[in-house]
Amino acid sequence: MRSWGYKKWKEGIYFTRFQTPRGFRDLVPNDARKYAFVEGRLRDIYAKWGYREVRTSMMDYYDVIRGGTGDWFADSLFKFQDSDGKLMSLRGEVTTQIARMLATNLKERRLFYISNCLKYIEDKALIGRESWQAGAELIGGDAVASDAESIALLVGALDALDLKGARVDVGSVQVFRILMSRFGIKDYERITRSVISKSADDLKNATDDKDAIDAFSYVMRKRGGPEVLDGLSEIAGGCMEEQRDYFRTLFRLLEAYGCADRVCVDLGTIREMKYYNGIVFEGYLSGFGMPVGGGGRYDCMMREFGLDGMTATGFALSVDLCVKALEARGFEFGERKVPLKVAYNQGKMGEAIRLAVSMRADGKNCTVDAARCESDMEVYGDSSGLPLEKGV
Amino acid sequence: MTEEIIIAIPNKGRLKEPVVKLLEGAGIKRVSDERVYLSDTSDACIKVLSVRASDIPVYVYNGIADIGITGRDIIAETNLDLYELADLGFGSCTMVVAVKKEKPYSTASDIRPGSKVATEFPNITKRFFNDLGIQVEVIALRGAMEIAPRLGLAEAIVDLKSTGTTLEKNGLKQIGEVMKSSARLICNKVSYKTKYGAVEDLIRRLKEANV
């Protein structure tokens, strides 16, 4: 027995024809409800912290975006040609777009967005080529105070989602670069790869400098509070003072936010985007295999857009992964509001509609449908899961 | 140590025996028979997941298993974001480029652009030849590719070699080395953070048992 309509297949209507393209999916009502729930909570918490929502354009000139994200990310964008021959790309992430907006006409300090982003290459996190991201960007101001606010807001956002036990790891691209130059390391990529994968054995093959191995091994394995920087300062001999003070201040501020105990220094935290130049951080949950969001400081990109001297920090949360994490914990995404049903018999349609109009005016959700036959009315109401209000 | 740790190990292949021995040396002995894929062990906090070696990075990346033991070759081929916490040393072999004996090639750089290369490791092979600046066409096979050059399916192969006997018997010669491989201990990035104490403790035990 063919399960999906042999006759339809004969007519040229076959199942695979109606599938979504690889890496894309529809959110059916039950999924859409969960996404709306998560987005609603995030919108509330971002607003509570004084962030204002932006909706960035779906398309951009490719060259502009590539300037911010670097070639590696830009390669994975969907691209089109405009009628004048210019190359355009679909939104692949929002941070670069926000820098672009700031470079032209926008003067805002706190912005947030909830957007779908498209990438040509399938994401390793197996969430496909379309992903929903909810991010917050903090522009200007004192660097360490902004970083602390951004981290605290990330913790706050995960708490607002009832994702209990969320934690954040903080690393620093800056610390990493200082170490690279301190030990005069040329083979940047090999060291970075071994640190990202915490592979002590690869590190030993990447350099002969024993002091460098000691320092990077420490970076890889040591976890803790700001005292991690004290230890590194001792090993790396003096070039870490500024960073050490920075992390101390950062944690003092996080203390004030009441979340210092949930933030951990892991200097091996390195994020993929080339635009980060200060701290980078990632939020994660116990029992969920991948980080649900992250961000960092990206002053360098602001320079790329002609905003010399402007500082910026921010993060993005993956709505997809937040929904998945909540599902994995058996979370109830608010109660589904089941509408009442107004069922009418032949010739009574007008009356039924009038009843429905008055019910909606009273704030009740309802639908109007024909009762298939008198005796069937009750059964019909029950079997479709709708409470039967009254027959007309 | 109170947190539960799931460790993924190969259920067949060259790494299976040494891994089981290593775990036993660290006092971790599975309690159910081999066909139970997820098994309790003599250590109440540790479960063992027996799956194909090539699938282990995927289980660990997604956090289904916290820790896994598999070959460096497989980790490089799947190329997922994981922690590679230790080189366990055993199960070592070399991934090589080989061609028919009669070919006048002496290094991998001699392979002509546009050649077909048969391999079980298409991603590594592509990266390797890209780094050499030679564009090749990769044919993904699932084993016994030593026969491919002889039959004219491919000019060269990229495959694992432990002794070289198979290459020899099929009239091939090695002209280049792609990478060295051995068993690696990998860890899910979030598990490492959230179960730091337990993971570090287990790594220490495995390293001690490995000498």
Side-chain angles (χ1 to χ4, degrees), chain A residues 169 197-199 201 221 289, chain B residues 61 84 87 188 193 196 200:
Chain A
D169 263 16
S197 59
K198 292 202 194 293
S199 171
D201 302 292
R221 285 311 242 291
Chain B
Y61 173 73
E84 281 175 42
D87 182 350
N188 175 273
K193 298 169 195 294
Y196 184 63
E200 284 281 318

Side-chain angles (χ1 to χ4, degrees), chain A residues 88-104:
Chain A
M88 325 232 289
S89 57
L90 287 180
R91 176 170 61 223
E93 57 101 53
V94 181
T95 304
T96 312
Q97 293 188 303
I98 286 184
R100 168 180 59 62
M101 288 163 75
L102 292 164
T104 49

Side-chain angles (χ1 to χ4, degrees), chain A residues 57-305:
Chain A
S57 95
M58 190 77 233
M59 282 221 196
D60 264 293
Y61 288 120
Y62 172 69
D63 287 346
V64 174
I65 297 302
R66 191 183 54 184
T69 63
D71 290 348
W72 177 81
F73 185 85
D75 272 353
S76 65
L77 295 171
F78 280 93
K79 299 168 200 78
F80 300 88
Q81 215 167 16
D82 204 355
S83 54
D84 61 3
K86 278 195 178 164
L87 197 55
M88 325 232 289
S89 57
L90 287 180
R91 176 170 61 223
E93 57 101 53
V94 181
T95 304
T96 312
Q97 293 188 303
I98 286 184
R100 168 180 59 62
M101 288 163 75
L102 292 164
T104 49
N105 54 12
L106 187 72
K107 294 212 171 16
E108 289 277 350
R109 181 144 154 70
R110 293 182 170 83
L111 294 167
F112 82 87
Y113 58 85
I114 299 176
S115 299
N116 52 345
C117 296
L118 301 164
K119 267 164 69 177
Y120 183 71
I121 294 163
E122 208 142 329
D123 199 279
K124 279 189 240 160
L126 317 173
I127 49 179
R129 302 199 276 181
E130 179 176 18
S131 65
W132 286 86
Q133 296 183 12
E137 315 284 353
L138 178 51
I139 294 104
D142 179 49
V144 67
S146 301
D147 288 343
E149 175 174 330
S150 207
I151 292 170
L153 177 54
L154 174 56
V155 174
L158 291 168
D159 282 350
L161 290 174
D162 282 334
L163 284 167
K164 298 209 172 62
R167 300 177 63 89
V168 173
D169 263 16
V170 188
S172 167
V173 179
Q174 191 63 15
V175 166
F176 207 67
R177 289 195 185 134
I178 293 171
L179 285 180
M180 289 283 186
S181 75
R182 160 79 176 76
F183 294 107
I185 282 160
K186 306 261 174 344
D187 199 348
Y188 189 91
E189 204 175 303
R190 218 159 145 195
I191 297 272
T192 311
R193 216 204 85 76
S194 56
V195 171
I196 286 182
S197 59
K198 292 202 194 293
S199 171
D201 302 292
D202 286 342
L203 180 65
K204 274 175 205 143
N205 295 326
T207 175
D208 297 328
D209 187 340
K210 214 192 143 294
D211 293 340
I213 292 179
D214 282 350
F216 284 108
S217 303
Y218 181 85
V219 161
M220 263 185 226
R221 285 311 242 291
K222 190 72 186 170
R223 291 175 60 76
E227 75 280 358
V228 170
L229 272 290
D230 297 344
L232 185 61
S233 211
E234 269 168 44
I235 296 172
C239 58
M240 283 294 150
E241 259 93 64
E242 209 181 303
Q243 295 299 318
R244 195 183 57 193
D245 294 344
Y246 186 90
F247 272 84
R248 275 188 193 154
T249 316
L250 181 72
F251 272 79
R252 220 184 52 236
L253 298 177
L254 291 172
E255 200 86 50
Y257 279 110
C259 64
D261 56 330
R262 290 163 66 186
V263 180
C264 189
V265 176
D266 178 342
L267 295 170
T269 307
I270 296 170
R271 287 179 67 77
E272 288 174 331
M273 285 299 190
K274 78 146 203 183
Y275 51 59
Y276 292 120
N277 64 302
I279 63 153
V280 287
F281 52 94
E282 276 179 347
Y284 56 91
L285 314 160
S286 66
F288 192 71
M290 49 200 86
V292 289
R297 169 157 294 282
Y298 55 93
D299 309 334
C300 276
M301 185 165 69
M302 305 301 269
R303 274 205 291 285
E304 196 77 42
F305 284 85

Side-chain angles (χ1 to χ4, degrees), chain A residues 2-21:
Chain A
R2 288 178 180 83
S3 55
W4 202 85
Y6 177 67
K7 188 164 164 282
K8 284 184 180 173
W9 177 76
K10 288 275 276 189
E11 291 163 4
I13 302 170
Y14 37 91
F15 181 66
T16 51
R17 228 180 95 186
F18 303 131
Q19 285 179 349
T20 52

Side-chain angles (χ1 to χ4, degrees), chain B residues 55-114:
Chain B
D55 295 337
I56 286 175
V58 178
Y59 280 100
V60 175
Y61 173 73
N62 283 291
I64 309 300
D66 301 295
I67 283 182
I69 298 174
T70 189
R72 175 86 185 85
D73 48 301
I74 287 165
I75 299 164
E77 177 62 21
T78 44
N79 199 24
L80 292 167
D81 202 9
L82 297 161
Y83 289 148
E84 281 175 42
L85 296 177
D87 182 350
L88 297 169
F90 59 78
S92 61
C93 55
T94 313
M95 195 182 294
V96 301
V97 185
V99 293
K100 274 195 288 193
K101 261 193 195 124
E102 310 83 85
K103 288 270 184 187
Y105 303 160
S106 57
T107 74
S109 306
D110 296 335
I111 295 208
R112 283 207 295 275

